[in-house]
Amino acid sequence: ALWVGTNPKLKGLDIAEKAARIAGIKLIVAGVPGKSTNTVKYLGRIRPELMPKVYNSADLLLFPSNYESYPLTPLEAMASGLPVVVSESSHVEIMKDGREGFIIASKSPEKYAEAVRKAMDSRKKLGRSARKTAEKYNWQKQAKQYIRLYEKF
């Protein structure tokens, strides 16, 4: 599983680490430095142009964020064909629980671990749905929507 961010406390890294350990999977952490262990591999800061490689090297995104104003990290992961296991606080209204991954309404690492296991069992199907959904939110389409909105004023 992959966790991405630069603010570990706000983005729920502690929950992600516990959930990965409970689920029996390795967690790759991109964006912050740390000491790697048998269960967690810290990549440190990653240049933006290298992030597609990071996403493509993972099986899923584990993102128990406490707050997102716009779900850029989940969208990037989805665009890479990754299923996502995210918090309800991640503002992922664009996804449906069970279609692109799973939305967790709890801070319980056990709930995240359970969702990770389910996501791993149907990783390819969820990943295809995630990619399809993310394609609706590319920058060109978003820009056109903003232009239409401004034209209404």
Side-chain angles (χ1 to χ4, degrees), residues 76-117:
E76 288 175 345
M78 290 167 60
S80 297
L82 290 182
V84 295
V85 176
V86 298
S87 67
E88 191 176 57
S89 304
S90 294
H91 288 277
V92 286
E93 292 86 6
I94 61 170
M95 69 177 275
K96 183 178 179 206
D97 188 50
R99 185 179 62 196
E100 297 86 2
F102 298 98
I103 303 169
I104 310 302
S106 164
K107 293 184 190 251
S108 162
E110 291 80 9
K111 296 278 187 195
Y112 281 95
E114 181 182 330
V116 164
R117 287 187 198 106

Side-chain angles (χ1 to χ4, degrees), residues 9-70:
K9 186 172 178 144
L10 184 64
K11 306 301 182 180
L13 178 57
D14 58 334
I15 297 169
E17 286 178 336
K18 290 173 189 169
R21 201 168 29 254
I22 293 166
I25 62 168
K26 188 164 191 156
L27 182 67
I28 299 167
V29 176
V32 294
K35 184 175 166 113
S36 294
T37 66
N38 290 337
T39 58
V40 181
K41 180 178 181 181
Y42 284 88
L43 302 178
R45 291 206 181 267
I46 306 291
R47 293 194 324 261
E49 66 271 16
L50 297 178
M51 282 307 297
K53 281 187 172 186
V54 173
Y55 285 116
N56 288 326
S57 71
D59 293 325
L60 63 88
L61 177 73
L62 178 54
F63 199 65
S65 180
N66 292 306
Y67 177 77
E68 291 298 309
S69 58
Y70 185 80

